[in-house]
Amino acid sequence: IQMTQSPSSLSASVGDRVTITCRASQSINNYLAWFQQKPGQAPKSLIYASSSLQSGVPSKFSGSGSGTDFTLTINSLQPEDFATYYCQQYDSYPFTFGGGTKVAIK
Amino acid sequence: EVQLLESGGGLVQPGGSLRLSCAASGFTFISYSMLWVRQAPGKGLEWVSSISGDTATTYYADSVKGRFTISRDNSKNTLYLQMNSLRAEDTAVYYCAKCISGCHKGGIDYWGQGTLVTVSS
């Protein structure tokens, strides 16, 4: 299953609302996760099952979608949110990741 | 607190072998499936392999099938990745990760800090 993220990069300002999309090449039901990765760090799990927040993740992050189209929304962007975001499907093996979306400061 | 600590990375020549370890703590290790994900320098994330809690089920990416073996020692709370016939394209940071329950239709909740494997002569 191919996972296509868009955009591959974006520039935003502190306080902005940002939306990242992820499209699967076939239905993955809601078995979609989102991860955040900062330079030199391991990925951090944000969302699983398309819209469920991992423990400790602030509610400014939200996910939605089912089937083939999914979105990650970040409200009120803060300096610590500038990072690369990846989606991943775990509906079927081999698990696959999107190419990533780099969120940079405008 | 869940902790995953990888070790065993390093520089190895093409065709060589390496075994990665991931020491787990803070949860009942046998109850959770685990997996390995890698990231080549400057590239995205790539799933490598998964294993069920009871070791009965394993899965591999085509790129490593027949060369890598995932295993776990539940008495030692440790996950392993035996890597043989290494190639330059295996150069990456290797992360171990814990699945929410099973990995298939379960998802990942925690990640280790990663260990760098460099395959070069």
Side-chain angles (χ1 to χ4, degrees), chain A residues 29 31 35 37 41-45 48 54 86 88 90-95 97, chain B residues 37 39 43-45 47 50 59 95 100 103-109 111-113:
Chain A
N29 299 292
Y31 298 115
F35 305 101
Q37 187 178 35
Q41 296 186 19
K44 174 186 176 182
S45 297
Y48 66 100
Q54 292 281 359
Y86 294 94
Q88 180 231 348
Y90 52 96
D91 179 72
S92 62
Y93 283 105
F95 294 161
F97 291 86
Chain B
V37 171
Q39 186 170 36
K43 302 297 184 182
L45 301 170
W47 168 79
S50 300
Y59 297 91
Y95 297 102
I100 293 173
C103 296
H104 184 216
K105 301 189 190 297
I108 297 168
D109 53 5
W111 298 71
Q113 88 291 345

Side-chain angles (χ1 to χ4, degrees), chain B residues 65-81:
Chain B
K65 199 173 295 182
R67 300 187 299 122
F68 289 13
T69 302
I70 191 171
S71 63
R72 61 194 292 164
D73 185 335
N74 288 333
S75 68
K76 296 181 178 179
N77 288 353
T78 302
L79 174 72
Y80 301 101
L81 186 67

Side-chain angles (χ1 to χ4, degrees), chain A residues 1-25:
Chain A
I1 299 174
Q2 305 266 28
M3 304 301 293
T4 303
Q5 274 182 249
S6 60
S8 56
S9 65
L10 63 89
S11 295
S13 300
V14 172
D16 283 354
R17 180 189 206 183
V18 165
T19 298
I20 299 168
T21 65
C22 182
R23 175 165 288 176
S25 59

Side-chain angles (χ1 to χ4, degrees), chain A residues 34-92:
Chain A
W34 290 97
F35 305 101
Q36 176 194 65
Q37 187 178 35
K38 298 178 182 179
Q41 296 186 19
K44 174 186 176 182
S45 297
L46 297 177
I47 287 171
Y48 66 100
S50 178
S51 61
S52 297
L53 278 184
Q54 292 281 359
S55 174
V57 174
S59 59
K60 64 188 299 182
F61 292 95
S62 63
S64 65
S66 185
T68 61
D69 294 312
F70 302 86
T71 60
L72 171 69
T73 299
I74 311 170
N75 287 309
S76 186
L77 207 62
Q78 295 301 304
E80 61 269 23
D81 302 327
F82 291 95
T84 299
Y85 294 84
Y86 294 94
C87 63
Q88 180 231 348
Q89 69 81 17
Y90 52 96
D91 179 72
S92 62

